[in-house]
Amino acid sequence: MALISQKSFQFYSSCTPARRSILMTLSKRLSFISGRRKPQNCSSVATRMLCFRDKSQDVFCRKNHVQLRMQSLSVNEPVYLCGDTESSTRSNNMWTDEQLFFKKLNSLCTSKEIFDFLSSLEVMSDTMASGALQRISEVEEGDNGLKNPEEVLENEVFRALCFQFEFESSKLSNTGLLNALQALIKLRVDPQSTLMASLLAEGEKRLGKGQLTTKNLCAFGESLLELEGPSCAMLEQIVNHMQAKDIAKWSPREIVMVYKMLQVTVREGEKYQGLLNRLNSVTLTIVSQLSPKFTSIILNSLVVLQQTQAVPLVTALCKHSVKHTPYFTDDELVNVLEAFLYFGHREQIFTEALETHIPKSIFTMHPQTVSKVMHYCCQKRILSKPIFDAAAEGFISDADRFTTDQIAGYIIPFGTLNYLPPSASSLFRKLEMVLHARFRHFQPHTLLNLLHSCVLIQRYPVNFLPKIFSPYFLQQLQAQPPGLDRIATSQLTQLFLTVTLECPFYEGPKLLSKYQVKAFFMPHSSLDVHLLKRVKTGLLYLLKKRTYFASEVSSPYFYMVDIEIKLDEEGFVLPASQCEEVYRRIALCVDGQNRFCVNSHNLLGEEAIKQRHLQLLGYEVVQIPFFEIESLQNCRKMAEYLHKKIFLHTYGLSS
């Protein structure tokens, strides 16, 4: 985010000598007051405040006043955040005053109302003053930065408060100091200003002396993360102090803040693993109390910190996230999905929650979030028709504003999971329009993945294949990591085979043989070895000899055939090694669960195109799906099933 110019904040260093003199005088007169009762000699000060009539003239105005009051607390005593109702060392009267103050403050909705309210007070504690700054930051924060930065930063009340916070920083309570720091960060005060430098220096001083409580340490860490990011050296000091604290007494906010600090400070091996183990154990006991935001942050931290051993915590957080699904922001939902993917977790009730939420929110969600949802479904092989249908509608409506990666993220899962939505014709018509308009904007590998996914579901990008098979594109593909690896060459070869078999009208350039593979790499459709063994046992029972069938056969057409059976012209089974007089070839596709979408009989795109191509290449394709044979308990029943499946009427064996 853009910072307000330094000029807006360093008013005390850039003003005229006369104005600076008056501000210094005012600072002395409005100094923090130790003690709980207003001194008798403050009555005249309470009716005065600096008022700027123009740039060249400074006068005192009697109608406004601002005064901060310092509580008589040492920095080692406990202090409380705004509105905290815990007991404290303050008098009951002061607590009543502060409670009324914050009740009124929280009811105000504009910075002008807040400044008018502050001007009406006779006295404020530093906690009240810093709380007022926080409230101003809340009401001023908009979607695109501060709503009225100049009105706030040039306001006399705001300037006088900042001036005193800078020059009286050593007298502030921990709460007043850190609340003010947080508020000024949200108000985009220049980090290089002397005001911020003063507050940060005081915070660092108290950190070094061990004077900050757990709550203080977390607040300071949050500010440092916002200001300086992961490179801040003080964050490691804060984490070291946190190790000595009793984690069992921490609030959910404090636990979350420590996860965030560890996320950026853990650079070497096991340095903080002891702290993380304790933190994970305590967090497990409070999972049910976590808000959507906290749930998302902790899951993200566990991913970054690679806490693969924290299985109970991850499982609990993933289950807890289900009830928060409608309430996650886009960024929070992305964090949760990434955690599900990283830890290999899948919850049916989470899928159901997404199926309820996504269709209703598709037109308001950020495209990157929808793309991540589609990626999650793709990686987990979850064919959710409500989600996919909604994504198709969202693409048709808004694809023109998507990035090229987002376009690919929307479309590739349709091919991977072999699904055409009801709006398929409109979907691919829109995709073709986008490709024509933005073809050069796609990265080579992204474009190849996208077009390959289209042919899996029989959508043929023939208008773009001449560019894909061109030497220029292939050079681009080779130059971009990971280059022409096995996946890329398999996709290119399958595109070439597709247009050869399924688009005989295509007359464009072909793929040169040096870019073709001998066998396709199909990562999603690996063979289920256990299931194959059961089928082979049944075939042996049926055909009597192992020589009458072959398994895992490399065909001359790039595909691996699970089991091949050869027949002569009269229908007799030939030995698998025989190459002459072969009249028919039967390809048995032994399809285990990993070749289907989860909890579905829908074949994945890789397997669907394989079976389609084998059939076009002359094979008689017989599918042996897991769900048809999983209940067959013995060889005889398996043999009976295979007899009916492969040899519809009868069969013979060639001698």
Side-chain angles (χ1 to χ4, degrees), residues 346 351 376-378 380-384 388 417 597-598:
R346 183 175 63 222
T351 301
Y376 168 78
C377 290
C378 188
K380 296 292 186 180
R381 309 195 332 268
I382 299 170
L383 177 54
S384 169
F388 278 48
L417 301 190
C597 298
V598 171

Side-chain angles (χ1 to χ4, degrees), residues 4-11 14 149-150 153-154 158-159:
I4 302 299
S5 67
Q6 189 170 348
K7 180 180 177 182
S8 300
F9 294 96
Q10 292 185 321
F11 52 85
S14 61
E150 295 300 326
L153 304 174
E154 295 299 327
F158 178 78
R159 291 159 70 88

